[in-house]
Amino acid sequence: MKTIVYTKDNCPACVQLKTRLVLEGTSFVEVHLGRDMTIEAFKEKFPTVRSVPHMEIRGEYDNN
């Protein structure tokens, strides 16, 4: 499984989620909006998501 966390600057909830994942021993990839991905691309990929952090968990059978 692969865990992806979408974050942005000055986001206390993003820091809290990443800290929790580290404490739980969960490895994750961070995608920073504005640096790694544009906000427009994020909205296109996740049209119903309106805030960050957003966590995506991909299983072994996902194509992406």
Side-chain angles (χ1 to χ4, degrees), residues 5-8 11-19 30 52-54:
V5 178
Y6 297 88
T7 66
K8 68 177 186 173
C11 173
C14 297
V15 172
Q16 184 178 21
L17 174 61
K18 292 184 290 182
T19 300
E30 180 179 2
V52 289
H54 178 68

Side-chain angles (χ1 to χ4, degrees), residues 19-64:
T19 300
R20 180 178 176 185
L21 291 173
V22 169
L23 290 174
E24 291 176 350
T26 302
S27 62
F28 62 93
V29 175
E30 180 179 2
V31 177
H32 188 278
L33 300 183
R35 183 178 17 180
D36 303 320
M37 175 183 238
T38 66
I39 293 172
E40 293 78 17
F42 178 79
K43 288 179 179 180
E44 186 176 311
K45 184 172 183 167
F46 304 105
T48 61
V49 176
R50 296 290 174 230
S51 64
V52 289
H54 178 68
M55 187 167 64
E56 180 181 20
I57 301 173
R58 295 184 183 172
E60 62 181 285
Y61 299 109
D62 290 335
N63 293 327
N64 298 332

